Amino acid sequence: MHAFDYQLLPIKVAVDSYCFFGKLENISKKNAGNMVNTCFVQTQKGFVVIDSGPTYNYASQAYEQMQKIAKIPVKYVLNTHDHDDHWLGNSFYKSKGALLIGPRTYEQNVVTGMETRMQRSLGNVLYGKTSIVDLDTIVDDTLSLKVGEKLFEIKQLEKVAHTKGDLVIWLAKEKTLFVGDLVFNGRLTSLRDGSLLGSLATLEKIDAYGAEVIVSGHGFQTDAGSSKNFKEYLTELKKEVLKALDDDIGMEEVSKQVIMPKYKEMKLYDVLHVRNVLDAYSELEMMEDEEE
Ligand SMILES: [Zn+2]
């Protein structure tokens, strides 16, 4: 018996590619961290998992579902970035013999034995056997990984975007792009560890792939237009914050000024928008200072 039944059901998003879609909410004991998307790709040699999810228990239940599709091993886990809702299932896959691949920031920020945000939120029962494991391979820039008949092109598009180490995974033949948290849909993003300008630059590069399927770390939309709304939010945020700077509006006032009511109904607006405005303000103010 599991301490928590995640009720994971894989949804096919492209040829041989499946995802488990998490809820559009923050981490809570009620969802046990199931607020993130994780995916897996079937190859002739085994599965390749993209992000391992919030807990050991989650990963083991994901694995049970995968085995219903094919009784093959998990060869690799590709980690899109170092936020812990995306990779705390790594210890499970490691115990199954998978190799872990991820960005440099994982090596820098993920320390064995540290208490994670997930652990604090869930408590020890739900956190269960979750533990921190090191990566086997670090990607600084690009890595091409051939697994069976499939080629995974892993790439960091910008130095800073959602975090300081975000990897996308491109399956060219299948025109499928896994973008982690470089795209959100149906809920707001958090700019806390990243950059507004870097995020916007990344979105241009994502568009240039000409992907038919774009799978994000949060949100249910996976079509070619799944980044559209997100791009509009960031573009408007940039425009409005720049205007506030032009009008000499101070840091204390700016969050009252830049409300962007169009996004008020968006999930997590109440939790994240003000913080995003302040982060954007600091970043753009610094940029303007440098230009002067
Ligand atoms: Zn994230």
Short mmCIF file of all heavy atoms in Angstrom, two decimals, residues 139-200:
data_model
loop_
_atom_site.label_atom_id
_atom_site.label_comp_id
_atom_site.label_asym_id
_atom_site.label_seq_id
_atom_site.Cartn_x
_atom_site.Cartn_y
_atom_site.Cartn_z
N VAL A 139 24.77 18.54 -18.09
CA VAL A 139 24.74 19.22 -19.38
C VAL A 139 25.00 20.70 -19.15
O VAL A 139 24.25 21.36 -18.44
CB VAL A 139 23.37 19.04 -20.07
CG1 VAL A 139 23.37 19.71 -21.44
CG2 VAL A 139 23.02 17.57 -20.20
N ASP A 140 26.08 21.22 -19.72
CA ASP A 140 26.35 22.65 -19.61
C ASP A 140 25.73 23.42 -20.76
O ASP A 140 25.28 24.54 -20.60
CB ASP A 140 27.86 22.91 -19.57
CG ASP A 140 28.42 22.70 -18.17
OD1 ASP A 140 27.88 23.32 -17.24
OD2 ASP A 140 29.36 21.91 -18.02
N ASP A 141 25.73 22.80 -21.92
CA ASP A 141 25.26 23.51 -23.10
C ASP A 141 24.34 22.62 -23.93
O ASP A 141 23.13 22.84 -23.96
CB ASP A 141 26.50 23.97 -23.90
CG ASP A 141 26.11 24.79 -25.11
OD1 ASP A 141 25.07 25.46 -25.05
OD2 ASP A 141 26.84 24.73 -26.11
N THR A 142 24.92 21.60 -24.55
CA THR A 142 24.09 20.67 -25.33
C THR A 142 24.57 19.24 -25.11
O THR A 142 25.73 19.01 -24.78
CB THR A 142 24.17 20.94 -26.85
OG1 THR A 142 25.53 20.83 -27.25
CG2 THR A 142 23.63 22.30 -27.22
N LEU A 143 23.66 18.32 -25.33
CA LEU A 143 24.00 16.90 -25.31
C LEU A 143 23.05 16.17 -26.24
O LEU A 143 21.83 16.36 -26.16
CB LEU A 143 23.86 16.35 -23.88
CG LEU A 143 24.15 14.85 -23.71
CD1 LEU A 143 25.64 14.58 -23.75
CD2 LEU A 143 23.58 14.34 -22.39
N SER A 144 23.61 15.35 -27.13
CA SER A 144 22.77 14.50 -27.97
C SER A 144 22.81 13.09 -27.41
O SER A 144 23.88 12.54 -27.18
CB SER A 144 23.30 14.48 -29.42
OG SER A 144 23.04 15.72 -30.00
N LEU A 145 21.65 12.55 -27.19
CA LEU A 145 21.55 11.24 -26.55
C LEU A 145 20.74 10.32 -27.46
O LEU A 145 19.56 10.56 -27.71
CB LEU A 145 20.86 11.42 -25.19
CG LEU A 145 20.67 10.20 -24.32
CD1 LEU A 145 22.01 9.74 -23.75
CD2 LEU A 145 19.70 10.52 -23.18
N LYS A 146 21.40 9.26 -27.92
CA LYS A 146 20.70 8.29 -28.76
C LYS A 146 20.27 7.14 -27.86
O LYS A 146 21.10 6.54 -27.17
CB LYS A 146 21.68 7.81 -29.85
CG LYS A 146 21.09 6.94 -30.92
CD LYS A 146 20.76 7.72 -32.18
CE LYS A 146 19.73 7.02 -33.02
NZ LYS A 146 20.06 5.99 -33.88
N VAL A 147 19.00 6.85 -27.86
CA VAL A 147 18.50 5.71 -27.08
C VAL A 147 17.64 4.88 -28.03
O VAL A 147 16.59 5.35 -28.49
CB VAL A 147 17.67 6.15 -25.86
CG1 VAL A 147 17.37 4.95 -24.96
CG2 VAL A 147 18.37 7.24 -25.06
N GLY A 148 18.09 3.67 -28.34
CA GLY A 148 17.39 2.88 -29.34
C GLY A 148 17.33 3.65 -30.64
O GLY A 148 18.34 4.19 -31.11
N GLU A 149 16.15 3.79 -31.20
CA GLU A 149 15.98 4.46 -32.50
C GLU A 149 15.77 5.97 -32.33
O GLU A 149 15.67 6.69 -33.31
CB GLU A 149 14.79 3.83 -33.24
CG GLU A 149 13.38 4.27 -32.77
CD GLU A 149 12.93 3.73 -31.40
OE1 GLU A 149 13.76 3.25 -30.61
OE2 GLU A 149 11.71 3.82 -31.12
N LYS A 150 15.73 6.45 -31.09
CA LYS A 150 15.36 7.85 -30.88
C LYS A 150 16.55 8.73 -30.48
O LYS A 150 17.42 8.31 -29.73
CB LYS A 150 14.28 7.95 -29.78
CG LYS A 150 12.93 7.43 -30.26
CD LYS A 150 11.80 8.04 -29.49
CE LYS A 150 10.48 7.98 -30.23
NZ LYS A 150 10.17 6.68 -30.87
N LEU A 151 16.52 9.96 -30.99
CA LEU A 151 17.58 10.92 -30.67
C LEU A 151 17.00 12.05 -29.82
O LEU A 151 16.07 12.74 -30.24
CB LEU A 151 18.19 11.49 -31.96
CG LEU A 151 19.34 12.47 -31.76
CD1 LEU A 151 20.56 11.77 -31.14
CD2 LEU A 151 19.74 13.14 -33.08
N PHE A 152 17.56 12.21 -28.63
CA PHE A 152 17.14 13.28 -27.72
C PHE A 152 18.19 14.39 -27.78
O PHE A 152 19.35 14.16 -27.42
CB PHE A 152 17.04 12.75 -26.29
CG PHE A 152 16.01 11.68 -26.12
CD1 PHE A 152 16.28 10.37 -26.47
CD2 PHE A 152 14.74 11.98 -25.61
CE1 PHE A 152 15.32 9.37 -26.33
CE2 PHE A 152 13.77 11.00 -25.45
CZ PHE A 152 14.06 9.69 -25.82
N GLU A 153 17.79 15.55 -28.25
CA GLU A 153 18.72 16.68 -28.29
C GLU A 153 18.41 17.60 -27.11
O GLU A 153 17.38 18.26 -27.07
CB GLU A 153 18.59 17.42 -29.62
CG GLU A 153 19.04 16.56 -30.80
CD GLU A 153 18.79 17.23 -32.13
OE1 GLU A 153 19.36 18.32 -32.35
OE2 GLU A 153 18.02 16.67 -32.93
N ILE A 154 19.35 17.61 -26.17
CA ILE A 154 19.16 18.34 -24.91
C ILE A 154 19.95 19.64 -24.99
O ILE A 154 21.11 19.63 -25.40
CB ILE A 154 19.68 17.48 -23.73
CG1 ILE A 154 19.04 16.07 -23.79
CG2 ILE A 154 19.41 18.16 -22.40
CD1 ILE A 154 19.73 15.05 -22.91
N LYS A 155 19.32 20.74 -24.61
CA LYS A 155 19.99 22.02 -24.82
C LYS A 155 19.56 23.06 -23.79
O LYS A 155 18.40 23.13 -23.41
CB LYS A 155 19.63 22.53 -26.22
CG LYS A 155 20.49 23.68 -26.73
CD LYS A 155 20.21 23.90 -28.21
CE LYS A 155 20.82 25.15 -28.77
NZ LYS A 155 22.25 25.30 -28.61
N GLN A 156 20.53 23.84 -23.33
CA GLN A 156 20.21 25.03 -22.54
C GLN A 156 20.15 26.22 -23.50
O GLN A 156 21.12 26.53 -24.18
CB GLN A 156 21.26 25.27 -21.44
CG GLN A 156 20.93 26.52 -20.63
CD GLN A 156 21.63 26.59 -19.28
OE1 GLN A 156 22.24 25.63 -18.81
NE2 GLN A 156 21.55 27.75 -18.65
N LEU A 157 19.00 26.89 -23.58
CA LEU A 157 18.80 27.92 -24.61
C LEU A 157 19.34 29.29 -24.20
O LEU A 157 19.81 30.05 -25.05
CB LEU A 157 17.31 28.04 -24.94
CG LEU A 157 16.65 26.77 -25.52
CD1 LEU A 157 15.16 26.99 -25.71
CD2 LEU A 157 17.29 26.34 -26.83
N GLU A 158 19.24 29.63 -22.91
CA GLU A 158 19.72 30.93 -22.41
C GLU A 158 20.42 30.70 -21.08
O GLU A 158 20.14 29.71 -20.40
CB GLU A 158 18.52 31.88 -22.18
CG GLU A 158 17.90 32.46 -23.43
CD GLU A 158 18.75 33.56 -24.07
OE1 GLU A 158 19.40 34.34 -23.34
OE2 GLU A 158 18.78 33.63 -25.31
N LYS A 159 21.27 31.62 -20.70
CA LYS A 159 21.98 31.48 -19.43
C LYS A 159 21.03 31.54 -18.23
O LYS A 159 21.16 30.80 -17.27
CB LYS A 159 23.03 32.59 -19.29
CG LYS A 159 24.27 32.32 -20.11
CD LYS A 159 25.52 32.90 -19.42
CE LYS A 159 26.79 32.19 -19.82
NZ LYS A 159 26.95 32.01 -21.27
N VAL A 160 20.06 32.47 -18.30
CA VAL A 160 19.05 32.57 -17.25
C VAL A 160 17.69 32.69 -17.91
O VAL A 160 17.50 33.55 -18.78
CB VAL A 160 19.24 33.81 -16.36
CG1 VAL A 160 18.37 33.72 -15.11
CG2 VAL A 160 20.69 34.03 -16.00
N ALA A 161 16.75 31.88 -17.49
CA ALA A 161 15.37 32.02 -17.99
C ALA A 161 14.42 31.77 -16.82
O ALA A 161 14.18 32.66 -16.01
CB ALA A 161 15.13 31.10 -19.16
N HIS A 162 13.89 30.55 -16.69
CA HIS A 162 13.09 30.23 -15.49
C HIS A 162 14.02 30.08 -14.29
O HIS A 162 13.70 30.46 -13.17
CB HIS A 162 12.29 28.95 -15.75
CG HIS A 162 11.48 28.48 -14.58
ND1 HIS A 162 10.44 29.20 -14.05
CD2 HIS A 162 11.58 27.37 -13.81
CE1 HIS A 162 9.93 28.55 -13.03
NE2 HIS A 162 10.60 27.44 -12.85
N THR A 163 15.18 29.46 -14.54
CA THR A 163 16.26 29.37 -13.54
C THR A 163 17.56 29.67 -14.28
O THR A 163 17.54 30.08 -15.42
CB THR A 163 16.34 27.95 -12.91
OG1 THR A 163 16.76 27.04 -13.94
CG2 THR A 163 15.01 27.51 -12.34
N LYS A 164 18.68 29.37 -13.62
CA LYS A 164 19.97 29.56 -14.28
C LYS A 164 20.43 28.29 -14.99
O LYS A 164 21.59 28.18 -15.40
CB LYS A 164 21.00 30.04 -13.27
CG LYS A 164 20.68 31.41 -12.72
CD LYS A 164 21.76 31.92 -11.79
CE LYS A 164 21.43 33.30 -11.26
NZ LYS A 164 20.26 33.31 -10.33
N GLY A 165 19.54 27.34 -15.11
CA GLY A 165 19.89 26.12 -15.83
C GLY A 165 18.63 25.39 -16.24
O GLY A 165 18.13 24.55 -15.51
N ASP A 166 18.10 25.74 -17.41
CA ASP A 166 16.87 25.11 -17.91
C ASP A 166 17.20 24.35 -19.19
O ASP A 166 17.72 24.94 -20.13
CB ASP A 166 15.81 26.16 -18.25
CG ASP A 166 15.54 27.11 -17.09
OD1 ASP A 166 14.87 26.70 -16.15
OD2 ASP A 166 16.01 28.27 -17.16
N LEU A 167 16.87 23.09 -19.21
CA LEU A 167 17.13 22.30 -20.41
C LEU A 167 15.83 22.02 -21.16
O LEU A 167 14.80 21.76 -20.54
CB LEU A 167 17.78 20.97 -20.02
CG LEU A 167 19.11 21.07 -19.24
CD1 LEU A 167 19.60 19.67 -18.87
CD2 LEU A 167 20.17 21.82 -20.05
N VAL A 168 15.91 22.11 -22.49
CA VAL A 168 14.80 21.61 -23.30
C VAL A 168 15.25 20.29 -23.93
O VAL A 168 16.44 20.04 -24.10
CB VAL A 168 14.37 22.60 -24.42
CG1 VAL A 168 13.92 23.92 -23.82
CG2 VAL A 168 15.48 22.82 -25.45
N ILE A 169 14.28 19.47 -24.26
CA ILE A 169 14.57 18.18 -24.89
C ILE A 169 13.79 18.11 -26.20
O ILE A 169 12.56 18.22 -26.20
CB ILE A 169 14.20 17.00 -23.97
CG1 ILE A 169 15.10 17.04 -22.73
CG2 ILE A 169 14.36 15.67 -24.69
CD1 ILE A 169 14.39 17.32 -21.47
N TRP A 170 14.50 17.95 -27.29
CA TRP A 170 13.90 18.00 -28.63
C TRP A 170 14.00 16.65 -29.30
O TRP A 170 15.07 16.06 -29.39
CB TRP A 170 14.64 19.07 -29.43
CG TRP A 170 14.32 19.24 -30.88
CD1 TRP A 170 15.23 19.26 -31.90
CD2 TRP A 170 13.04 19.49 -31.51
NE1 TRP A 170 14.60 19.51 -33.10
CE2 TRP A 170 13.25 19.65 -32.90
CE3 TRP A 170 11.73 19.59 -31.02
CZ2 TRP A 170 12.22 19.89 -33.81
CZ3 TRP A 170 10.69 19.82 -31.92
CH2 TRP A 170 10.95 19.98 -33.29
N LEU A 171 12.84 16.18 -29.74
CA LEU A 171 12.79 14.98 -30.58
C LEU A 171 12.45 15.47 -31.98
O LEU A 171 11.28 15.76 -32.28
CB LEU A 171 11.72 14.01 -30.06
CG LEU A 171 12.01 13.35 -28.70
CD1 LEU A 171 10.77 12.61 -28.20
CD2 LEU A 171 13.17 12.38 -28.81
N ALA A 172 13.46 15.61 -32.82
CA ALA A 172 13.28 16.27 -34.11
C ALA A 172 12.33 15.50 -35.01
O ALA A 172 11.44 16.09 -35.64
CB ALA A 172 14.63 16.45 -34.80
N LYS A 173 12.51 14.20 -35.08
CA LYS A 173 11.68 13.39 -35.99
C LYS A 173 10.21 13.48 -35.59
O LYS A 173 9.32 13.52 -36.45
CB LYS A 173 12.16 11.94 -35.93
CG LYS A 173 12.24 11.31 -37.31
CD LYS A 173 12.79 9.91 -37.24
CE LYS A 173 11.75 8.94 -37.77
NZ LYS A 173 11.81 7.64 -37.08
N GLU A 174 9.97 13.52 -34.32
CA GLU A 174 8.60 13.56 -33.81
C GLU A 174 8.10 15.00 -33.65
O GLU A 174 6.96 15.21 -33.24
CB GLU A 174 8.53 12.85 -32.45
CG GLU A 174 8.81 11.35 -32.50
CD GLU A 174 10.30 11.00 -32.58
OE1 GLU A 174 11.16 11.91 -32.51
OE2 GLU A 174 10.59 9.80 -32.72
N LYS A 175 8.97 15.97 -33.92
CA LYS A 175 8.64 17.40 -33.75
C LYS A 175 8.03 17.69 -32.37
O LYS A 175 7.06 18.43 -32.23
CB LYS A 175 7.69 17.88 -34.85
CG LYS A 175 8.36 18.01 -36.23
CD LYS A 175 7.44 18.78 -37.17
CE LYS A 175 8.00 18.98 -38.56
NZ LYS A 175 9.28 19.66 -38.66
N THR A 176 8.63 17.06 -31.38
CA THR A 176 8.12 17.20 -30.01
C THR A 176 9.19 17.86 -29.13
O THR A 176 10.34 17.43 -29.13
CB THR A 176 7.75 15.81 -29.45
OG1 THR A 176 6.72 15.26 -30.29
CG2 THR A 176 7.23 15.90 -28.02
N LEU A 177 8.79 18.89 -28.40
CA LEU A 177 9.72 19.65 -27.57
C LEU A 177 9.23 19.66 -26.12
O LEU A 177 8.11 20.10 -25.84
CB LEU A 177 9.82 21.08 -28.11
CG LEU A 177 10.87 22.00 -27.48
CD1 LEU A 177 12.29 21.49 -27.77
CD2 LEU A 177 10.73 23.43 -28.02
N PHE A 178 10.06 19.17 -25.23
CA PHE A 178 9.76 19.22 -23.80
C PHE A 178 10.50 20.43 -23.23
O PHE A 178 11.72 20.52 -23.35
CB PHE A 178 10.22 17.93 -23.11
CG PHE A 178 9.52 16.70 -23.62
CD1 PHE A 178 10.04 15.97 -24.69
CD2 PHE A 178 8.33 16.28 -23.06
CE1 PHE A 178 9.39 14.84 -25.17
CE2 PHE A 178 7.66 15.15 -23.53
CZ PHE A 178 8.19 14.43 -24.59
N VAL A 179 9.76 21.35 -22.64
CA VAL A 179 10.37 22.63 -22.27
C VAL A 179 10.42 22.88 -20.76
O VAL A 179 10.86 23.95 -20.34
CB VAL A 179 9.64 23.81 -22.97
CG1 VAL A 179 9.80 23.70 -24.48
CG2 VAL A 179 8.17 23.86 -22.59
N GLY A 180 10.02 21.92 -19.95
CA GLY A 180 10.03 22.15 -18.51
C GLY A 180 9.28 23.43 -18.16
O GLY A 180 8.23 23.72 -18.74
N ASP A 181 9.84 24.23 -17.27
CA ASP A 181 9.13 25.44 -16.82
C ASP A 181 9.47 26.68 -17.64
O ASP A 181 9.22 27.80 -17.20
CB ASP A 181 9.43 25.69 -15.34
CG ASP A 181 8.66 24.73 -14.44
OD1 ASP A 181 7.98 23.84 -14.99
OD2 ASP A 181 8.73 24.87 -13.22
N LEU A 182 10.02 26.48 -18.84
CA LEU A 182 10.21 27.63 -19.73
C LEU A 182 8.88 28.09 -20.29
O LEU A 182 8.77 29.18 -20.84
CB LEU A 182 11.18 27.26 -20.86
CG LEU A 182 12.60 26.98 -20.36
CD1 LEU A 182 13.45 26.35 -21.45
CD2 LEU A 182 13.24 28.26 -19.83
N VAL A 183 7.87 27.22 -20.16
CA VAL A 183 6.50 27.59 -20.55
C VAL A 183 5.56 27.12 -19.45
O VAL A 183 5.72 26.03 -18.90
CB VAL A 183 6.10 26.92 -21.88
CG1 VAL A 183 4.63 27.17 -22.18
CG2 VAL A 183 6.98 27.40 -23.03
N PHE A 184 4.62 27.99 -19.11
CA PHE A 184 3.52 27.62 -18.22
C PHE A 184 2.24 27.80 -19.01
O PHE A 184 2.16 28.71 -19.83
CB PHE A 184 3.45 28.56 -17.01
CG PHE A 184 4.43 28.26 -15.91
CD1 PHE A 184 5.78 28.44 -16.11
CD2 PHE A 184 3.99 27.80 -14.68
CE1 PHE A 184 6.69 28.17 -15.09
CE2 PHE A 184 4.88 27.53 -13.65
CZ PHE A 184 6.24 27.72 -13.86
N ASN A 185 1.25 27.00 -18.79
CA ASN A 185 -0.07 27.39 -19.28
C ASN A 185 -1.16 27.03 -18.30
O ASN A 185 -1.05 26.07 -17.54
CB ASN A 185 -0.34 26.89 -20.70
CG ASN A 185 -0.24 25.40 -20.82
OD1 ASN A 185 -1.05 24.67 -20.25
ND2 ASN A 185 0.75 24.93 -21.56
N GLY A 186 -2.18 27.89 -18.25
CA GLY A 186 -3.29 27.69 -17.32
C GLY A 186 -3.00 28.17 -15.90
O GLY A 186 -3.88 28.15 -15.05
N ARG A 187 -1.78 28.57 -15.63
CA ARG A 187 -1.45 29.14 -14.32
C ARG A 187 -0.27 30.10 -14.52
O ARG A 187 0.39 30.07 -15.54
CB ARG A 187 -1.08 28.07 -13.29
CG ARG A 187 0.06 27.15 -13.69
CD ARG A 187 0.78 26.54 -12.50
NE ARG A 187 1.70 27.48 -11.89
CZ ARG A 187 2.64 27.14 -11.02
NH1 ARG A 187 2.77 25.89 -10.65
NH2 ARG A 187 3.45 28.04 -10.50
N LEU A 188 -0.02 30.92 -13.53
CA LEU A 188 1.09 31.86 -13.65
C LEU A 188 2.43 31.19 -13.33
O LEU A 188 2.50 30.21 -12.61
CB LEU A 188 0.91 33.05 -12.70
CG LEU A 188 -0.05 34.17 -13.12
CD1 LEU A 188 0.29 35.44 -12.36
CD2 LEU A 188 -0.01 34.44 -14.62
N THR A 189 3.48 31.79 -13.87
CA THR A 189 4.84 31.35 -13.58
C THR A 189 5.35 32.06 -12.33
O THR A 189 4.66 32.90 -11.75
CB THR A 189 5.76 31.71 -14.75
OG1 THR A 189 7.07 31.18 -14.50
CG2 THR A 189 5.89 33.22 -14.92
N SER A 190 6.55 31.72 -11.93
CA SER A 190 7.27 32.47 -10.90
C SER A 190 8.62 32.87 -11.47
O SER A 190 9.36 32.02 -11.96
CB SER A 190 7.44 31.60 -9.66
OG SER A 190 8.51 32.11 -8.90
N LEU A 191 8.93 34.14 -11.38
CA LEU A 191 10.21 34.63 -11.91
C LEU A 191 11.31 34.60 -10.85
O LEU A 191 12.42 35.05 -11.09
CB LEU A 191 10.04 36.07 -12.42
CG LEU A 191 9.17 36.28 -13.67
CD1 LEU A 191 9.00 37.77 -13.94
CD2 LEU A 191 9.77 35.59 -14.88
N ARG A 192 10.99 34.06 -9.67
CA ARG A 192 11.86 34.22 -8.51
C ARG A 192 13.32 33.80 -8.73
O ARG A 192 14.22 34.46 -8.25
CB ARG A 192 11.21 33.52 -7.31
CG ARG A 192 11.81 32.23 -6.81
CD ARG A 192 10.91 31.56 -5.80
NE ARG A 192 10.28 30.41 -6.41
CZ ARG A 192 10.73 29.16 -6.30
NH1 ARG A 192 11.79 28.89 -5.58
NH2 ARG A 192 10.12 28.15 -6.90
N ASP A 193 13.56 32.72 -9.46
CA ASP A 193 14.95 32.27 -9.68
C ASP A 193 15.45 32.59 -11.08
O ASP A 193 16.50 32.11 -11.49
CB ASP A 193 15.06 30.75 -9.47
CG ASP A 193 14.87 30.38 -8.02
OD1 ASP A 193 15.20 31.19 -7.14
OD2 ASP A 193 14.36 29.27 -7.76
N GLY A 194 14.67 33.36 -11.83
CA GLY A 194 15.00 33.50 -13.23
C GLY A 194 15.08 34.93 -13.70
O GLY A 194 15.46 35.83 -12.96
N SER A 195 14.70 35.12 -14.96
CA SER A 195 14.79 36.43 -15.58
C SER A 195 13.65 36.61 -16.57
O SER A 195 13.35 35.72 -17.37
CB SER A 195 16.14 36.55 -16.30
OG SER A 195 16.03 37.40 -17.42
N LEU A 196 13.04 37.77 -16.50
CA LEU A 196 11.98 38.11 -17.44
C LEU A 196 12.53 38.19 -18.86
O LEU A 196 11.98 37.59 -19.79
CB LEU A 196 11.35 39.45 -17.04
CG LEU A 196 10.36 40.08 -18.01
CD1 LEU A 196 9.16 39.17 -18.24
CD2 LEU A 196 9.90 41.43 -17.49
N LEU A 197 13.63 38.91 -19.03
CA LEU A 197 14.20 39.07 -20.37
C LEU A 197 14.73 37.74 -20.91
O LEU A 197 14.54 37.42 -22.07
CB LEU A 197 15.31 40.13 -20.34
CG LEU A 197 14.85 41.52 -19.91
CD1 LEU A 197 16.03 42.48 -19.83
CD2 LEU A 197 13.79 42.08 -20.86
N GLY A 198 15.35 36.97 -20.03
CA GLY A 198 15.84 35.65 -20.44
C GLY A 198 14.68 34.73 -20.83
O GLY A 198 14.77 33.97 -21.80
N SER A 199 13.58 34.83 -20.09
CA SER A 199 12.41 34.01 -20.41
C SER A 199 11.85 34.38 -21.77
O SER A 199 11.50 33.51 -22.58
CB SER A 199 11.32 34.18 -19.36
OG SER A 199 11.77 33.72 -18.10
N LEU A 200 11.78 35.68 -22.04
CA LEU A 200 11.26 36.13 -23.34
C LEU A 200 12.19 35.70 -24.48
O LEU A 200 11.73 35.24 -25.53
CB LEU A 200 11.07 37.65 -23.34
CG LEU A 200 9.81 38.13 -22.61
CD1 LEU A 200 9.87 39.63 -22.33
CD2 LEU A 200 8.54 37.80 -23.42
#
